[in-house]
Amino acid sequence: MRLSRFARFSIALLFFWIVLFAFLPQIMVLIASLFSKGATSFIVFEPTVSNYTRLFDPIYLQIFVDSLVLAGVTTLLCLLIAFPFAAILARSPKAWRALLLVLVIIPFWTSSLVRTYALIALLKTKGLINAALLSLGLIEAPLELMYTQSAVFIGMVYTLLPFMILPLYAALEKIDPRLIEAASDLGAGFWSRLTRITIPLSLSGIIAGCMLVFLPALGMFYIPDLLGGAKNLIIGSFIRNQFLTFRDWPFGAAASMLLTFMMLMLVALYAYRERKAGA
Amino acid sequence: MSQPLLTLKNIQKTYNGIAVLQGFDLEIKQGEFLTLLGPSGCGKTTVLRLIGGFEQSDAGEMLMDGVRINNLPPHERTVNTVFQSYALFPHMDVFENVAFGLRMKKMPDAQIQSAVKEALEMVQLGVHARKRPAQLSGGQQQRVAIARAVVNKPHILLLDESLSALDYKLRKQMQIELKTLQRRLGITFLFVTHDQEEALSMSDRIVVMNAGRIEQIGTPKEIYEEPRTLFVANFIGEANTFTCKLIEQREGEVLLGYGGRSFCVKTSKTPSARATLLIRPEDLRVERRLEDVKSPNYFEAVLEQVIYKGTTIDLLLRLDEGREIMASEFYNEDSDALLYQEGERLYLYWVDGWEVLLNEAE
């Protein structure tokens, strides 16, 4: 296939962009993770694997497990909320769909850090949610929302939900509605149609959405920090602390490499499944 | 007469303010092959979707064995549909597609195995049980769709333009297979098509529809030979129609005037002042000489074109007053038809009683 000059230019530009700003920094992190911490400089060029062996200390392993649980629960919550939303979106009249999709995308126009601060305004003791519930007489004392696990999940789900909705929508929209009718015709009620037709046929969208939520959730340190009061460390905060607070670049780099490796395994699993499904 | 299997009473259906069905009445008998025939947009598919439960009628009643089923969802109805696009489940193999309905009924697995196997044998797809629908040809997918519906032993099998996606030869073959299947299973078939030839060759009864109404219900022979309206006459087969003036009504016959000629036609009905005389192209006899014409009712026309069609030869002729008519002759070795010269003057007549007389308002 012959590509146009514009296409070749664009691909080349993207390629150099990724090499320059993603691949090379990653290599630098890898290199840093294999050297030692110095007293006066960030890195001393003494090769070692101790940064990696230290990660398997139970204290640090706990951080990894906590992060995986947080990301896992966030992914599950996003899936449960996004699936009905995307299903309704995919079956709504064409004129409505564009508007609803825009509503899903609009939050991207604001930095997620800014939006997290906005959530604080909603969740704090004298925030909008408590004020509204108090004035309606639904509660007598303000709810303790800020700096709880719930606040962290609210923030995570709120920030990552669009990444689940969009691939689910794309997959659900492709399902021929006549297949659902056929299932119904053959005696399948709502749950049977959902579990035997809709979910299997949108599986690639479900997996893509879960990855798009799970992977960023592992590294999103500012949400637990701001909404959860930094009570629990997650990998993201841990890596940031190593670099910025403890000035232990090699150790932070090793933790970062482990996270990258875990993500890579998930992507590889997905690619393998897709290739098998395609064959 | 026994109670009809399914009765539709005064069904109304409107989409976005446009009436698709108005005052639709129909009775479907146990075990018959009934076809809904009409041009696209006449409402025939809507009737099918109402019976399948995919649409709700605005008014009217639907009774299955005397029980009202208007509000039953599709999965609680005892009918199954063969969709136009087949709608086979792409993520299941042929076997699982066919087994789907039985699994929904929670039939024991051993019974499912044998029932599905039998259904696949019936449509000659036993060897393809473990293939995905995408690996099958159009005709095979069609058979899977039929097996998937039939295996549930529905009271009525609904077929929505089920053959129209197939090529001509395969369609002919499937028509015969479907008819054989229906006879063998004794299941009531409700078939929807816009193809009049298909309707004529397969049905026990045909319902001709136009613009949301029934034009005529009858056996294929009745529909073809005694069309009750001009629409039916024109939609089913070819027809030469002549709008005539009533000149005189006599005992059991009428004298009609058309373009300076008059025809005497036997009829028991009282014709309106203007009536349409309808003659099928194959009912017209063609002669070169006036003395061979064996009827007082005849036309004189100039041959314009001879169209050879293999089994028949179509002659396009023009009457003196300018309009075109068509006559078909069955081809045989000693037929004169091929010898006619374009531009030649010929005489056309028909055997008494083979014409159809339609009153104006019909």
Side-chain angles (χ1 to χ4, degrees):
Chain A
M1 191 176 63
R2 256 191 76 75
L3 295 168
S4 72
R5 273 169 101 167
F6 178 73
R8 272 184 293 169
F9 172 75
S10 313
I11 291 169
L13 194 70
L14 275 173
F15 180 76
F16 283 116
W17 184 277
I18 288 169
V19 167
L20 206 59
F21 295 110
F23 186 70
L24 287 180
Q26 194 66 54
I27 295 296
M28 286 159 74
V29 172
L30 177 65
I31 291 167
S33 73
L34 293 168
F35 288 98
S36 312
K37 179 190 167 192
T40 49
S41 63
F42 290 127
I43 296 166
V44 229
F45 291 95
E46 286 169 18
T48 175
V49 289
S50 67
N51 296 315
Y52 287 97
T53 48
R54 266 167 73 200
L55 281 175
F56 291 94
D57 186 291
I59 300 172
Y60 300 130
L61 275 182
Q62 189 57 46
I63 296 173
F64 272 86
V65 171
D66 286 350
S67 304
L68 291 175
V69 170
L70 177 70
V73 173
T74 301
T75 307
L76 200 67
L77 287 173
C78 278
L79 183 61
L80 289 177
I81 297 168
F83 198 91
F85 187 93
I88 293 167
L89 190 58
R91 293 288 164 261
S92 58
K94 276 228 161 68
W96 282 72
R97 270 188 236 171
L99 180 73
L100 289 168
L101 274 176
V102 167
L103 289 178
V104 172
I105 293 162
I106 277 179
F108 287 123
W109 296 354
T110 312
S111 150
S112 64
L113 192 58
V114 174
R115 281 184 283 133
T116 308
Y117 276 104
L119 270 180
I120 296 176
L122 288 174
L123 297 173
K124 66 186 176 186
T125 316
K126 289 180 179 170
L128 283 173
I129 291 177
N130 273 321
L133 290 175
L134 280 170
S135 64
L136 285 170
L138 290 172
I139 51 169
E140 282 170 7
L143 294 174
E144 191 93 11
L145 289 171
M146 270 308 284
Y147 310 122
T148 61
Q149 197 67 24
S150 314
V152 175
F153 283 126
I154 290 172
M156 291 291 245
V157 169
Y158 165 72
T159 307
L160 294 167
L161 195 61
F163 295 100
M164 185 66 91
I165 291 176
L166 295 175
L168 278 183
Y169 165 74
L172 288 169
E173 199 242 3
K174 267 191 241 139
I175 298 178
D176 185 345
R178 283 168 296 195
L179 293 179
I180 310 295
E181 281 188 353
S184 184
D185 184 79
L186 293 166
F190 176 78
W191 285 108
S192 298
R193 295 201 292 272
L194 183 69
T195 55
R196 286 169 184 264
I197 310 294
T198 312
I199 290 178
L201 287 177
S202 58
L203 204 57
S204 66
I206 293 173
I207 293 173
C210 285
M211 281 177 50
L212 285 177
V213 170
F214 187 78
L215 301 182
L218 284 175
M220 230 170 224
F221 59 85
Y222 55 89
I223 292 175
D225 278 7
L226 290 173
L227 300 176
K231 274 183 267 184
N232 294 5
L233 265 182
I234 67 159
I235 313 178
S237 342
F238 174 75
I239 293 169
R240 189 204 49 183
N241 290 344
Q242 292 309 317
F243 276 92
L244 301 181
T245 315
F246 303 118
R247 303 280 159 174
D248 190 347
W249 283 24
F251 191 40
S256 171
M257 283 313 294
L258 187 61
L259 183 61
T260 308
F261 178 74
M262 277 162 46
M263 292 178 175
L264 211 64
M265 290 315 288
L266 280 172
V267 175
L269 201 72
Y270 173 68
Y272 172 74
R273 208 208 139 263
E274 284 291 281
R275 247 194 31 214
K276 229 178 97 182
Chain B
M1 217 185 92
S2 64
Q3 188 189 24
L5 180 60
L6 183 75
T7 311
L8 305 184
K9 271 189 208 157
N10 198 23
I11 299 282
Q12 315 276 339
K13 179 71 189 173
T14 306
Y15 286 118
N16 305 321
I18 300 159
V20 183
L21 291 176
Q22 340 176 14
F24 191 89
D25 293 304
L26 184 63
E27 288 190 348
I28 301 173
K29 296 178 207 155
Q30 172 64 47
E32 74 174 329
F33 194 125
L34 185 68
T35 299
L36 299 179
L37 174 67
S40 53
C42 73
K44 55 192 194 298
T45 295
T46 304
V47 174
L48 213 64
R49 292 181 61 81
L50 285 169
I51 296 173
F54 306 116
E55 312 268 353
Q56 294 290 314
S57 60
D58 303 330
E61 251 195 340
M62 208 184 302
L63 304 172
M64 173 80 86
D65 277 330
V67 181
R68 192 182 144 98
I69 59 162
N70 285 46
N71 300 319
L72 276 189
H75 61 273
E76 287 174 23
R77 296 194 183 195
T78 52
V79 297
N80 286 113
T81 308
V82 177
F83 291 85
Q84 182 174 9
S85 57
Y86 315 145
L88 299 178
F89 305 128
H91 58 301
M92 297 179 192
D93 62 22
V94 168
F95 185 94
E96 282 306 317
N97 263 283
V98 176
F100 191 85
L102 302 178
R103 293 212 191 285
M104 289 301 111
K105 284 185 195 160
K106 308 243 184 311
M107 187 186 263
D109 202 53
Q111 280 180 45
I112 292 181
Q113 295 288 335
S114 66
V116 172
K117 231 175 136 190
E118 192 189 336
L120 286 177
E121 292 302 329
M122 182 183 69
V123 293
Q124 295 137 44
L125 281 176
V127 291
H128 300 298
R130 288 300 161 199
K131 284 190 183 163
R132 290 283 172 103
Q135 293 168 287
L136 302 178
S137 70
Q140 289 169 331
Q141 290 185 24
Q142 169 73 71
R143 289 201 181 94
V144 177
I146 292 167
R148 185 177 70 171
V150 162
V151 79
N152 301 293
K153 303 208 174 4
H155 285 147
I156 305 177
L157 186 70
L158 308 170
L159 299 112
D160 183 11
E161 303 258 2
S162 299
L163 304 180
S164 58
L166 304 177
D167 63 57
Y168 182 78
K169 240 189 144 152
L170 199 53
R171 200 160 75 221
K172 290 271 155 207
Q173 189 191 333
M174 283 306 294
Q175 284 174 12
I176 297 165
E177 282 185 25
L178 263 186
K179 186 72 199 168
T180 317
L181 196 66
Q182 190 256 343
R183 288 219 180 100
R184 208 166 82 205
L185 297 169
I187 295 176
T188 310
F189 276 37
L190 182 60
F191 187 80
V192 158
T193 184
H194 61 265
D195 184 334
Q196 41 111 355
E197 205 183 317
E198 206 164 87
L200 290 173
S201 61
M202 295 167 79
S203 320
D204 296 322
R205 285 198 304 156
I206 297 175
V207 179
V208 185
M209 290 181 64
N210 181 32
R213 290 177 187 281
I214 293 177
E215 292 273 337
Q216 189 173 352
I217 304 179
T219 63
K221 194 161 181 282
E222 283 166 1
I223 298 276
Y224 189 78
E225 291 182 5
E226 297 153 43
R228 251 193 272 132
T229 68
L230 204 52
F231 176 84
V232 175
N234 279 318
F235 193 75
I236 317 275
E238 303 280 345
N240 296 304
T241 54
F242 308 94
T243 313
C244 304
K245 267 196 297 238
L246 177 68
I247 298 175
E248 200 187 336
Q249 184 176 6
R250 301 185 198 132
E251 184 65 40
E253 59 181 31
V254 288
L255 196 62
L256 300 168
Y258 178 79
R261 308 203 59 86
S262 64
F263 304 120
C264 185
V265 174
K266 286 195 177 62
T267 179
S268 54
K269 53 180 165 184
T270 318
S272 51
R274 296 172 72 83
T276 303
L277 190 64
L278 186 137
I279 304 156
R280 298 276 184 204
E282 66 272 20
D283 291 343
L284 281 173
R285 301 275 167 93
V286 184
E287 296 297 346
R288 271 182 161 151
R289 293 177 306 174
L290 187 56
E291 45 275 36
D292 292 331
V293 172
K294 297 177 197 75
S295 166
N297 301 330
Y298 67 92
F299 297 100
E300 252 182 276
V302 175
L303 180 63
E304 290 211 318
Q305 215 180 329
V306 180
I307 303 159
Y308 175 74
K309 281 192 170 167
T311 47
T312 60
I313 296 157
D314 289 352
L315 305 174
L316 274 180
L317 306 113
R318 197 169 291 281
L319 296 181
D320 291 342
E321 63 15 94
R323 71 157 288 195
E324 207 169 57
I325 64 172
M326 194 166 90
S328 300
E329 300 228 319
F330 279 100
Y331 177 77
N332 62 57
E333 290 294 316
D334 6 278
S335 166
D336 293 339
L338 275 181
L339 304 172
Y340 298 140
Q341 298 296 309
E342 284 169 16
E344 199 174 341
R345 269 192 102 69
L346 296 168
Y347 297 94
L348 301 163
Y349 73 98
W350 69 92
V351 179
D352 275 352
W354 286 16
E355 78 290 321
V356 174
L357 193 61
L358 295 171
N359 277 352
E360 177 131 84
E362 286 176 319

